Amino acid sequence: MFGEKLIFGQKEVSIDDKGRITLPAFTHAEPTDEVSFVYPENGDYIRIFLYHKIETLMNIMIDKQINTSDLKLMEDIQNAINNLQSLCIGTATLDKQKRVIVPKHVRERLKLESSVEIIGATDTVYTTNIISGATNLILPCVKIYKYK
């Protein structure tokens, strides 16, 4: 399943005329995997995570916020939740050929045309100090760049 294991690899992948890309074998993608598209806080790429990993992280933050009486911590958690929500731009389900449609506004923003570069990565941007014990929430993902 995509995003359950660390993702290592790099590959140029074509974008078809419907805006779809096929996730390479190194991503461990399977048909019907549900993924989330997430912008970085700055950068010229888009990240793809397994949807349920993002959902789990969001639930951990909400639970932490509900179970604290520290007003500063509550505010920090709310800011982290708002940040995550603003960066998540949508979800999609892979088809039988392990293809996913890259949203049109993402293709336009990043000037993605005929091909992209897919790079395996991990991202810890959401494992902040506000979530105690969250160091095990390293999120495998792929980063999609315009192929140069």
Side-chain angles (χ1 to χ4, degrees):
M1 175 176 278
F2 175 85
E4 287 292 335
K5 300 176 183 176
L6 293 177
I7 300 172
F8 299 103
Q10 180 175 347
K11 185 173 183 179
E12 178 188 359
V13 176
S14 297
I15 301 175
D16 70 14
D17 52 351
K18 294 181 181 177
R20 298 177 298 196
I21 58 171
T22 301
L23 293 180
F26 69 80
T27 66
H28 314 289
E30 296 176 7
T32 73
D33 282 350
E34 189 174 8
V35 296
S36 292
F37 291 93
V38 181
Y39 279 125
E41 293 190 42
N42 50 45
D44 59 348
Y45 60 93
I46 188 80
R47 296 171 292 189
I48 300 179
F49 294 95
L50 186 61
Y51 172 76
H52 91 80
K53 295 278 190 174
I54 297 292
E55 183 180 46
T56 297
L57 181 58
M58 188 71 75
N59 288 334
I60 288 170
M61 288 192 290
I62 290 168
D63 287 346
K64 182 78 173 175
Q65 186 180 36
I66 290 170
N67 294 313
T68 186
S69 58
D70 181 334
L71 294 177
K72 174 68 173 130
L73 182 57
M74 289 171 91
E75 182 180 335
D76 289 347
I77 293 171
Q78 189 60 52
N79 289 337
I81 290 170
N82 292 344
N83 186 49
L84 181 56
Q85 287 176 324
S86 71
L87 296 175
C88 288
I89 57 156
T91 62
T93 302
L94 276 60
D95 67 12
K96 291 179 183 177
Q97 288 81 35
K98 302 177 191 171
R99 296 177 300 191
V100 63
I101 296 174
V102 178
K104 185 177 181 179
H105 66 280
V106 171
R107 295 191 314 265
E108 290 171 352
R109 177 177 173 174
L110 299 177
K111 298 178 178 69
L112 304 178
E113 295 165 1
S114 60
S115 62
V116 296
E117 185 172 19
I118 297 179
I119 301 173
T122 57
D123 206 321
T124 57
V125 69
Y126 305 122
T127 56
T128 63
N129 295 342
I130 61 172
I131 311 168
S132 63
T135 54
N136 62 342
L137 287 175
I138 294 172
L139 302 178
C141 67
V142 293
K143 294 181 178 180
I144 299 175
Y145 293 85
K146 178 178 181 177
Y147 188 75
K148 299 177 182 181

